[in-house]
Amino acid sequence: NTGIMEHYIGNQDANDQSNATVIDDTCVYIGEYNILGQRHGSRGELIWDSGDRYVGTFKNGMRSGQGAFFFRDGKTNKAM
């Protein structure tokens, strides 16, 4: 248990694995999920309340593979 509370917003349709999740009231995830309900897919987005965001791939609930951080001040950091 990570101690992080997550709750879904949007449709919980078995045919649509794309939803938004509010994570601990500081971050929102928009993207796809695997059958276990974990963040998973070729394009997901984490948006923090600071305005910073990450766009990239997720695997089994974790950032994985290619992606980029976009910071509120306009800087970008690409992760591979």
Side-chain angles (χ1 to χ4, degrees):
N1 187 348
T2 63
I4 296 174
M5 298 290 294
E6 295 189 15
H7 61 277
Y8 298 100
I9 20 180
N11 295 326
Q12 291 274 252
D13 183 342
N15 296 320
D16 180 6
Q17 296 289 322
S18 179
N19 287 294
T21 303
V22 176
I23 304 171
D24 200 17
D25 295 328
T26 63
C27 186
V28 172
Y29 171 74
I30 301 169
E32 298 174 323
Y33 294 85
N34 64 18
I35 193 126
L36 300 174
Q38 299 169 322
R39 296 181 291 274
H40 191 91
S42 61
R43 181 172 169 90
E45 185 171 358
L46 285 171
I47 307 167
W48 286 270
D49 59 0
S50 66
D52 297 339
R53 62 192 176 98
Y54 169 82
V55 177
T57 59
F58 289 82
K59 184 175 182 180
N60 299 324
M62 305 293 288
R63 294 187 308 259
S64 176
Q66 295 184 351
F69 284 94
F70 299 92
F71 299 98
R72 191 168 122 181
D73 64 7
K75 294 180 183 174
T76 301
N77 182 10
K78 292 187 179 181
M80 300 284 238

